[in-house]
Amino acid sequence: MITALLTGAVLWSLLVQTLPPILLGAVTAAGAAVAFFFRRHHSHGPVAIDSLARRSLLCEENAFWKTGVSVLLLILSTASPTPLPPLLLFGFLSAVTVLAGKIPLKKYFSLLWLPAAFLLLSTLTLLWDFYRVLPENEVLSLPFFGGWLSVTKASQSLGRLVLARALGAVSCLYFLSLSTPLPELFWVLRRVHVPEVVLDLCMLIYRYLFILLATAHDMRDSAASRLGYATLLKSFRTTGLVYGRLLANSFRRAGHCFDAMESRCYTGKIAFLTQRKPLTGKVICLLSIPLAGMTFGMFLT
Amino acid sequence: MTSSEKKILSLSVMVSLAICVPQTAHGMHIMEGYLPPAFCVFWGALCLPFLVAGVIALRKLTQNQRRSLLLLAMTGAFVFVISSLKIPSVTGSCSHMTGTGLGALLFGVPVTSVLGIIVLVFQTLLLAHGGLTTLGANTFSMAVAGPLVTVGLYQIGKKLRFPKLLNVFLAAALGDLLTYCVTSLQLAIAYPSAEGGIGASFLEFLTVFAPTQLPLALIEGILTMVVMVGLQSYAKPELSLLNTQRRGLFL
């Protein structure tokens, strides 16, 4: 409900006096309705995105190309001087992720909703400023403790630009993370010479994360079945104890794992098998279009 | 309006803000694409010395004692897991810990900053929280500035002979609080307000995010304290392993 109100407020202050009143009302109401519809925060957990990435049809494509182009598009999107190119990029890459990758649309939308709280709050802060005297070019003002809280034409256009850039960048990020499983990304990082120690650490963390997550869930369930979360004070104590136990457990597990690795001739180097994935015409075409578009967009004013 | 009326009004504003916060409160990360490119590069460059020092420390650590690589990996996975789990909170919203204070107390600042950047990459790609372009800024606030303050405060508290647990609580809570202040400052520098400049905009960002972040800092402090108590009773041998390497502080 609050997110819906916030969305409405942000849309209203972004677009007021640039659209005719009826259209403005319609856009605001539509935004608030969408926010209300997706108001429930689905707890995704790290497993959700990982499994979506592995199931995506784009998973079979060359990881180096996907990562390289995504990073380039990210940079172009955050550097774009006008709001239109990143918005188009957002539409295009979302379509690629959903249609070519066959990610369920509903899942994609609920993922998009994750950064909403940050985006709405900080855009609101960008839009509304405190002024002692009513500024020129103001489009919306409220009296506030002997001064004015106002939205100006300049802050409106800044807000629109920042919002568009963020949306474009988020679509690049989701394209990458919903089509490329993490181990393949580490392989790309290895090819660009990120220190070996760091990548070994990443790989080990990735493998242990799911085990620890499962253990944590089991611990929490058993604590809950013993009324460990009955009151606020108790739940602090239980959470702390569960975390402490989890960390102690994982230290112990690390010890066992090291023994197992050493008995299999571990000499300080961990090698993982990576499947070679050739570069196909399909993904070259799909990604060249936004790349060309965004490069052209850099010269627009 | 009389002064008492003004006070009541501002109190009611604060109460309504505290209750009407959006439902999720993560440790505050700047989202993907929210900072202009120049600032992304700037904050990334600021982190670089810490990361290089961290990688050097890691190399030394794993060469001298290979067992500690796995210990570190487990800690990294642990930090990620607790940052993705919900913790109890007062307003019924779901919040998450950052966990880097804990890492800093166990392993020291340089190693924690490397662990921190890895955890941030994982959070970005697996939880869609944070961003690749804002990685530098987020690393600076969460994995460099926060741990630095935590470790500094812990040392000062130790000198002043504070009780150990109170010291852990204060160090972790204030470290977390500083992380949020630094993030607000980063946003303010990137987007200063038209009239008051960076100062005014800093204040605005602080107020807007305070309702979610202030309780979070307190909870972080309490939980770090309880985890430490748990570790002391369950994981003595591992803690003493860390002690022989003279990395950890909390021993």
Side-chain angles (χ1 to χ4, degrees):
Chain A
M1 188 66 203
I2 291 145
T3 327
L5 283 179
L6 263 177
T7 315
V10 167
L11 279 176
W12 182 276
S13 18
L14 265 181
L15 297 172
V16 71
Q17 288 200 10
T18 53
L19 293 178
I22 298 171
L23 212 57
L24 176 67
V27 168
T28 311
V34 169
F36 188 72
F37 185 65
F38 286 105
R39 73 193 178 282
R40 218 158 267 151
H41 171 68
H42 304 283
S43 66
H44 289 278
V47 188
I49 295 187
D50 194 59
S51 64
L52 280 178
R54 283 179 191 276
R55 256 182 267 157
S56 162
L57 288 187
L58 292 172
C59 180
E60 289 309 310
E61 305 296 341
N62 183 283
F64 202 80
W65 171 255
K66 277 188 294 190
T67 316
V69 175
S70 304
V71 170
L72 267 180
L73 285 176
L74 259 180
I75 295 169
L76 286 174
S77 172
T78 45
S80 167
T82 45
L84 192 62
L87 278 183
L88 290 177
L89 179 73
F90 171 71
F92 187 86
L93 276 188
S94 300
V96 168
T97 311
V98 171
L99 296 177
K102 292 268 185 293
I103 299 289
L105 188 65
K106 213 175 155 192
K107 286 247 167 74
Y108 189 76
F109 265 120
S110 70
L111 277 177
L112 272 184
W113 211 241
L114 283 177
F118 178 87
L119 190 61
L120 292 174
L121 279 177
S122 42
T123 309
L124 214 56
T125 327
L126 281 188
L127 283 170
W128 293 85
D129 268 324
F130 179 78
Y131 296 93
R132 290 226 170 66
V133 275
L134 205 59
E136 287 172 46
N137 284 330
E138 55 88 32
V139 284
L140 257 184
S141 294
L142 292 172
F144 184 81
F145 290 114
W148 295 88
L149 269 184
S150 317
V151 179
T152 59
K153 280 244 155 57
S155 74
Q156 252 186 338
S157 61
L158 178 70
R160 274 194 292 256
L161 181 61
V162 171
L163 197 72
R165 280 174 176 176
L167 279 178
V170 162
S171 71
C172 295
L173 177 68
Y174 283 3
F175 166 74
L176 184 65
S177 65
L178 289 176
S179 70
T180 320
L182 275 183
E184 290 187 23
L185 218 61
F186 298 150
W187 173 75
V188 173
L189 290 179
R190 208 170 284 258
R191 279 187 56 182
V192 295
H193 299 290
V194 171
E196 203 78 11
V197 177
V198 178
L199 289 175
D200 284 349
L201 208 56
C202 286
M203 206 61 203
L204 288 171
I205 289 178
Y206 178 74
R207 293 174 83 89
Y208 289 136
L209 185 159
F210 298 102
I211 303 173
L212 282 193
L213 212 61
T215 319
H217 274 289
D218 288 349
M219 279 174 150
R220 207 168 50 177
D221 287 348
S222 72
S225 73
R226 291 168 179 78
L227 297 181
Y229 299 97
T231 60
L232 188 69
L233 217 62
K234 253 189 200 156
S235 60
F236 278 136
R237 191 172 161 268
T238 314
T239 312
L241 284 178
V242 165
Y243 285 1
R245 206 58 196 263
L246 189 67
L247 186 57
N249 244 346
S250 48
F251 278 179
R252 203 141 302 152
R253 195 167 267 159
H256 291 320
C257 191
F258 180 75
D259 294 342
M261 280 163 76
E262 197 149 60
S263 70
R264 286 164 182 78
C265 306
Y266 170 60
T267 53
K269 202 173 160 59
I270 315 173
F272 290 102
L273 191 67
T274 34
Q275 198 186 347
R276 289 280 150 132
K277 290 175 177 170
L279 196 57
T280 59
K282 180 178 130 196
V283 77
I284 294 183
C285 289
L286 273 182
L287 293 183
S288 307
I289 300 168
L291 206 55
M294 287 303 287
T295 319
F296 177 70
M298 287 301 286
F299 300 106
L300 290 179
T301 41
Chain B
M1 223 185 315
T2 64
S3 72
S4 70
E5 277 172 338
K6 252 184 196 168
K7 265 182 203 157
I8 289 171
L9 182 65
S10 47
L11 195 70
S12 72
V13 168
M14 271 164 64
V15 168
S16 78
L17 268 180
I19 293 171
C20 302
V21 286
Q23 292 83 344
T24 36
H26 282 278
M28 197 168 128
H29 296 344
I30 302 175
M31 76 175 281
E32 185 68 278
Y34 210 80
L35 288 183
F39 290 93
C40 299
V41 174
F42 171 75
W43 292 110
L46 216 54
C47 295
L48 214 56
F50 292 92
L51 292 175
V52 171
V55 170
I56 292 170
L58 261 180
R59 256 203 199 131
K60 220 182 218 166
L61 200 68
T62 48
Q63 269 164 11
N64 294 340
Q65 205 157 17
R66 276 195 223 124
R67 198 173 275 271
S68 51
L69 181 70
L70 283 155
L71 216 57
L72 273 170
M74 277 293 181
T75 315
F78 173 78
V79 169
F80 177 79
V81 165
I82 63 170
S83 74
S84 75
L85 291 179
K86 281 179 201 166
I87 52 177
S89 80
V90 192
T91 48
S93 61
C94 71
S95 7
H96 308 256
M97 266 174 91
T98 56
T100 43
L102 193 68
L105 289 178
L106 287 173
F107 293 102
V109 177
V111 172
T112 307
S113 62
V114 177
L115 272 188
I117 195 171
I118 295 176
V119 169
L120 279 169
V121 170
F122 274 67
Q123 283 181 344
T124 304
L125 292 171
L126 291 179
L127 297 174
H129 176 220
L132 293 178
T133 50
T134 53
L135 191 63
N138 287 332
T139 307
F140 185 78
S141 68
M142 198 186 95
V144 175
L148 268 180
V149 167
T150 304
V151 167
L153 283 177
Y154 189 79
Q155 300 281 37
I156 293 171
K158 218 171 169 182
K159 287 245 166 74
L160 295 177
R161 308 247 166 121
F162 277 4
K164 208 172 198 178
L165 287 179
L166 175 71
N167 201 3
V168 169
F169 168 75
L170 282 179
L174 291 177
D176 195 74
L177 209 61
L178 185 94
T179 302
Y180 136 74
C181 293
V182 169
T183 311
S184 300
L185 188 66
Q186 286 169 336
L187 285 169
I189 294 175
Y191 300 110
S193 75
E195 203 184 58
I198 292 173
S201 140
F202 178 49
L203 217 64
E204 274 179 39
F205 279 112
L206 275 183
T207 356
V208 166
F209 289 104
T212 53
Q213 298 299 318
L214 289 181
L216 205 61
L218 281 183
I219 294 171
E220 173 104 24
I222 295 172
L223 285 181
T224 309
M225 197 171 73
V226 185
V227 168
M228 283 301 191
V229 174
L231 268 190
Q232 265 189 327
S233 47
Y234 300 136
K236 273 258 162 70
E238 282 81 6
L239 283 181
S240 64
L241 178 75
L242 289 177
N243 195 15
T244 53
Q245 294 158 355
R246 289 194 194 155
R247 298 248 147 241
L249 294 163
F250 179 81
L251 300 159

